[in-house]
Amino acid sequence: MDEKDNTYYAYLYHVNVETKEVTQWTHKKERISSPQWSTDGKYIAFLSNREEDNQVYVLSTSGGEAKKLTKVEKGISSFSWSPCGQKIWFVAPLKEGKTWNDEAEKEENKLPEAYIVDKMKYHADGVGLLPKDTYKQIGYIDIATVEITQFTEGSYNYNLQAISHDGKKLVMGVNREKNQDFSFRQPLLLVDIESKEETVLTDEEGYYGGAAFSKDDKYIAFTGSNRQYQNASHAEVFVYEVSTGSRQVLTEGIDAPVGDYSGGDIQQGASAPDIVWTDGNHLYFQLSTMGDVRLYFASLDGAVYPATAENEHIYGYDIDATGTFSLATISNAIFPGELFKQNLATGERIQLTNFNEALLNELELSEPEAIVYKGAKDWDVHGWLMKPVGYEKGKKYPLIVEIHGGPHTMYANTFFHELQLLAAKGYGVLYVNPRGSHSYSQQFVDAVRGDYGGGDYEDIMAGLDYVLAENDWIDDSRLGVTGGSYGGFMTNWIVGHTNRFKAAVTQRSISNWISFYGVSDIGYYFTEWQIGADMSDITKLWDASPLKYASNVETPLLILHSENDYRCPIEQGQQLYITLKAMGKETSFVRFPQADHNLSRVGLPNLRQTRLDQITSWFEKYI
C-alpha cells in the first residue's frame, strides 16, 4: 500500500528454496498477479496493470526487462502457459464482431448512451453495469510473433481451466444456455485443440471448476458443488478418467467443504490452486474444517488425510512433482503470513520469507482463546475470545461482538487486522461461527437458510452469555456489536431485538428484504435461497427484515455503506438511517464514495482507514 498515491502495489520476488535468498525482480509502481513459470523454467509470465488494464508480461529468469506480450483493449482476465513454451493461452473480454487486434475505441467527446436492460443478470458488484454484447473468449498468443489466435466464439462467457501436459487438450468452462437469469451452472468440457471436438466432463446444476490434469494426462480432477442446498452446498473433489469417462468423488466421506472459505481483511488477491497433482497420481487440495484451512492429501484408491497442522490458515500453496515438499503461505491468529517450505512426510518446516518481521516486532498482539459452547438446538458452536492488549487481571473491560458476512463463510485461525485493532484499543473481542458458517457439517451450514434471525441469532447471543459467565473481566454493561454484509444484517436484527448493547456499527448491511430483492445484483435469487420467499410472499420477507423492528431500536447505531455497493446497495443503509432518524433514534450515516461491497478488504487505503476510525470512534463515544 502506498499512502501518498492512495493505491496498492504488488511486486515480483524470487525465493531460492535452498539458500532462502529473497530477490526483488520488479520495482515499478504496479500490481503484479498470477505469476507462472514456463515449463522449462527459463521464463516467468505475469499479469500487470502498469498500463491500466491487466496485460501479460514475460520476464527472462536470466535477467533483463519484462516484455509486454499483450495489448488487449479490456485487459487479460487469466492465462496459462502452453506446455511447449512457445505460446500463452489467455481469457479476455471481446465485443461481438471485434477481434483482439482491433484498435480501441476513443472515448473522447463520445456522447453518453442509454443502457437497455433485457436481462436480470445485468449488473455486478465491483463491475457495475455489465458490458453489452461483450463475452470472455479464449485465445492464445505466439510469443515469438506476438500473433493472437481466437479459439472460442459466440455469445457465451468461456473460462480456461487447464491444458494437458502433451499440449493436445484443454478443459474449459462455458454455459451456453440462451437465458441464464435463473441458470446457476458451469458445464466443464474437455476439448481437442486441433479438432475442437468437445467431451462433457460435467453438465450439472451447480458450479464446477479448478480443473487440473494429472501428470500423465490420464485423469482430470476438479472441484465443485451441486445445488442441493443452493449456495450452502459443500464443495467436493471429483476425478474424471479420460479413457473411460468414469468419475469418482474423492471427498464424499468428509463432511466439510473443499476450498478456502475464511474471511479476512489483509490477504488481498490471495489465490490458490483448487487441485495440485503429484507423481503417482496423488493430489492435494485445501479443506475448510473446524475453523482451519488445511492442505489435504488424496489418492485414487480413496485415501484422504490432512497434510498440514491445525490452528492455521493455508491461503496459498504448491507441491513439488514428487510430492516430497510443499511451498505454502501460512497465517494464524497472531501471524499475518509468510512463505514456508514443508517436508510432507515429516511435517518439518522452513520459513523462507520475513516480510512482516519488522512489523510484528513493533506490535503487541492479542492471541485468541478458542471456545466451544452450546447454541440453539443444543448444537456445538465454535468461536474465539480475545482479551484486550495490555490486559490486567482484576480489571473490567468492554467487549465487542464481531459477526462475519456470507453467511456461508467463516472466521478462521488466521490474522484479522480489524479484530487486533479493537483489542489494541482496549476492547475484548468475541467472534463466533454461528449456524450458516462453513468448515463444519453440511447440516450446520445449511441451517441458517429460511431461519435468518432465528437459530443464528440464538447462537451469537448464547456465545455472549457463555463468555460473560466464564470471564469476570468482561463488563456486561459495556458491550458493542458490529458486522458487515450478513453480519450487518445480523447487527441490525440484534439492535431491533435486544437492548443489551451500548453501541452498534452496521456495515454494508441488509435492512429490507423486499427492496433488496429488486436492487441487489443477486437479490432476485439469493433472497429466495436464503429467506425461502420471493415477491409473492411479502409478509415473510418483511418479517425477516430488520427495518420492520426499527421502532424497537434503542442502541446508538452507526451505519456504514459504500456508494457503489451492488451486492447490498446503499439504499439498504439509507432506508434504515432515515427511518431511525425520523423516529428520533441515535444514529449516524457514513457514505463511502468510489467503494463497493469489498471496501474493508480492497477499498482505497484512505477509505479503509476512515472506516476503521469511524468504527473505533463510535464505540469510544458510546461505550
Side-chain angles (χ1 to χ4, degrees):
M1 183 181 81
D2 188 299
E3 294 182 1
K4 182 179 178 181
D5 293 342
N6 199 33
T7 190
Y8 304 95
Y9 298 124
Y11 305 102
L12 184 66
Y13 286 80
H14 175 267
V15 182
N16 185 312
V17 296
E18 301 301 328
T19 66
K20 298 198 293 183
E21 181 182 5
V22 178
T23 306
Q24 186 173 345
W25 275 5
T26 65
H27 298 267
K28 291 181 180 292
K29 288 187 173 182
E30 61 188 324
R31 292 189 71 174
I32 285 176
S33 60
S34 307
Q36 296 180 30
W37 292 100
S38 60
T39 305
D40 60 11
K42 293 182 179 180
Y43 297 92
I44 189 164
F46 54 85
L47 295 179
S48 170
N49 69 344
R50 63 178 64 175
E51 295 181 14
E52 294 190 6
D53 291 320
N54 269 343
Q55 302 293 345
V56 177
Y57 289 76
V58 175
L59 178 67
S60 171
T61 59
S62 61
E65 179 60 42
K67 173 186 177 182
K68 182 180 179 182
L69 200 61
T70 63
K71 50 181 179 179
V72 173
E73 179 183 353
K74 298 183 183 300
I76 302 293
S77 301
S78 63
F79 74 93
S80 292
W81 280 95
S82 172
C84 67
Q86 303 303 308
K87 59 187 178 182
I88 287 178
W89 290 81
F90 65 87
V91 177
L94 186 61
K95 194 174 183 67
E96 285 188 296
K98 298 286 186 178
T99 73
W100 283 308
N101 295 313
D102 291 338
E103 292 290 328
E105 296 181 11
K106 293 184 178 180
E107 298 291 331
E108 297 178 10
N109 302 320
K110 188 176 181 181
L111 295 175
E113 297 178 0
Y115 186 95
I116 300 173
V117 178
D118 54 8
K119 300 175 182 178
M120 298 176 79
K121 293 179 181 176
Y122 71 92
H123 63 315
D125 187 63
V127 178
L129 296 174
L130 299 178
K132 300 285 284 186
D133 304 320
T134 298
Y135 301 91
K136 289 185 177 180
Q137 303 288 353
I138 298 173
Y140 60 84
I141 184 166
D142 185 283
I143 294 176
T145 65
V146 198
E147 180 182 349
I148 290 178
T149 302
Q150 185 177 337
F151 185 76
T152 59
E153 58 186 17
S155 305
Y156 314 107
N157 287 304
Y158 292 85
N159 64 69
L160 178 62
Q161 296 275 321
I163 303 169
S164 62
H165 295 88
D166 63 9
K168 296 180 179 180
K169 293 181 171 62
L170 59 81
V171 176
M172 67 183 187
V174 60
N175 184 343
R176 293 189 175 122
E177 292 183 33
K178 185 175 182 180
N179 185 343
Q180 297 185 20
D181 285 339
F182 287 96
S183 180
F184 306 97
R185 62 195 294 130
Q186 179 181 256
L188 295 183
L189 306 176
L190 176 64
V191 185
D192 183 281
I193 291 174
E194 184 175 347
S195 68
K196 293 193 175 182
E197 180 182 353
E198 298 177 355
T199 302
V200 175
L201 298 184
T202 181
D203 187 10
E204 303 169 12
E205 286 293 315
Y207 177 82
Y208 298 87
F213 284 89
S214 61
K215 298 293 184 183
D216 56 12
D217 287 334
K218 292 182 179 180
Y219 301 93
I220 301 169
F222 56 93
T223 63
S225 60
N226 59 33
R227 287 184 54 207
Q228 182 177 357
Y229 305 97
Q230 301 296 8
N231 60 325
S233 300
H234 277 176
E236 307 273 11
V237 173
F238 300 83
V239 174
Y240 175 92
E241 187 173 13
V242 176
S243 62
T244 65
S246 63
R247 195 177 76 181
Q248 62 175 314
V249 184
L250 293 188
T251 52
E252 60 183 348
I254 300 177
D255 195 7
V258 171
D260 180 354
Y261 290 89
S262 65
D265 59 357
I266 67 163
Q267 292 151 356
Q268 302 98 318
S271 63
D274 289 57
I275 303 286
V276 173
W277 287 91
T278 64
D279 296 340
N281 289 332
H282 299 148
L283 43 79
Y284 288 82
F285 56 91
Q286 292 166 300
L287 189 82
S288 293
T289 172
M290 305 299 284
D292 294 327
V293 180
R294 305 175 67 180
L295 277 187
Y296 265 64
F297 163 92
S299 63
L300 298 184
D301 61 8
V304 180
Y305 56 79
T308 58
E310 297 177 331
N311 300 317
E312 61 185 21
H313 175 201
I314 307 293
Y315 60 92
Y317 77 99
D318 203 352
I319 314 291
D320 82 305
T322 66
T324 303
F325 67 89
S326 68
L327 294 176
T329 45
I330 305 173
S331 174
N332 62 42
I334 55 172
F335 186 72
E338 298 286 358
L339 179 65
F340 291 81
K341 177 183 178 181
Q342 176 173 325
N343 184 304
L344 291 168
T346 66
E348 180 184 3
R349 285 180 179 172
I350 300 172
Q351 185 172 332
L352 298 176
T353 63
N354 293 282
F355 289 112
N356 293 299
E357 183 177 17
L359 175 66
L360 291 176
N361 287 337
E362 297 175 2
L363 300 176
E364 183 179 352
L365 300 175
S366 175
E367 185 165 4
E369 171 197 349
I371 61 172
V372 182
Y373 61 92
K374 294 296 182 181
K377 297 183 181 180
D378 210 33
W379 288 3
D380 282 349
V381 181
H382 294 243
W384 295 264
L385 176 66
M386 298 170 66
K387 287 186 171 72
V389 171
Y391 166 81
E392 297 178 19
K393 189 174 182 179
K395 291 184 63 174
K396 289 280 192 177
Y397 295 91
L399 180 77
I400 307 298
V401 177
E402 282 263 6
I403 307 169
H404 68 62
H408 308 310
T409 58
M410 67 178 194
Y411 283 124
N413 286 303
T414 191
F415 191 87
F416 208 125
H417 173 251
E418 181 178 324
L419 307 183
Q420 290 290 345
L421 174 63
L422 289 171
K425 291 285 187 178
Y427 300 100
V429 183
L430 172 66
Y431 55 109
V432 304
N433 283 330
R435 64 199 56 218
S437 303
H438 263 309
S439 84
Y440 307 101
S441 70
Q442 180 66 80
Q443 181 186 30
F444 190 85
V445 71
D446 183 56
V448 72
R449 295 195 312 121
D451 190 37
Y452 272 47
D456 50 353
Y457 170 68
E458 293 181 52
D459 285 350
I460 294 167
M461 299 307 290
L464 177 59
D465 291 335
Y466 174 81
V467 297
L468 289 175
E470 295 291 323
N471 298 272
D472 58 8
W473 57 266
I474 300 173
D475 185 345
D476 62 3
S477 69
R478 300 173 66 202
L479 304 175
V481 61
T482 186
S485 195
Y486 164 80
F489 158 85
M490 184 52 65
T491 299
N492 297 340
W493 186 267
I494 284 173
V495 297
H497 287 79
T498 181
N499 296 322
R500 295 180 67 178
F501 297 92
K502 288 199 69 176
V505 181
T506 184
Q507 307 168 56
R508 58 188 187 278
S509 70
I510 296 172
S511 67
N512 183 351
W513 286 104
I514 297 172
S515 61
F516 179 84
Y517 183 92
V519 296
S520 168
D521 62 344
I522 63 172
Y524 71 92
Y525 57 87
F526 184 86
T527 303
E528 186 170 2
W529 288 359
Q530 296 294 308
I531 306 302
D534 57 18
M535 293 296 283
S536 65
D537 192 350
I538 299 295
T539 300
K540 188 169 185 178
L541 296 182
W542 184 238
D543 286 345
S545 298
L547 192 64
K548 175 181 177 178
Y549 310 97
S551 61
N552 299 337
V553 176
E554 296 181 11
T555 307
L557 180 65
L558 174 63
I559 302 168
L560 306 181
H561 224 112
S562 296
E563 299 275 5
N564 300 333
D565 191 335
Y566 280 65
R567 185 58 39 85
C568 297
I570 197 168
E571 60 87 28
Q572 294 287 306
Q574 288 174 313
Q575 289 188 69
L576 185 59
Y577 171 72
I578 292 298
T579 300
L580 292 175
K581 201 70 173 175
M583 292 177 174
K585 308 293 186 178
E586 190 67 32
T587 186
S588 183
F589 186 28
V590 181
R591 303 169 65 112
F592 293 89
Q594 301 180 54
D596 58 29
H597 197 64
N598 291 300
L599 168 64
S600 65
R601 297 177 280 267
V602 296
L604 291 172
N606 75 304
L607 296 181
R608 291 179 68 189
Q609 183 170 332
T610 299
R611 169 185 167 272
L612 293 172
D613 289 342
Q614 288 288 330
I615 293 170
T616 55
S617 61
W618 188 262
F619 285 141
E620 182 178 351
K621 180 177 180 180
Y622 290 100
I623 296 180

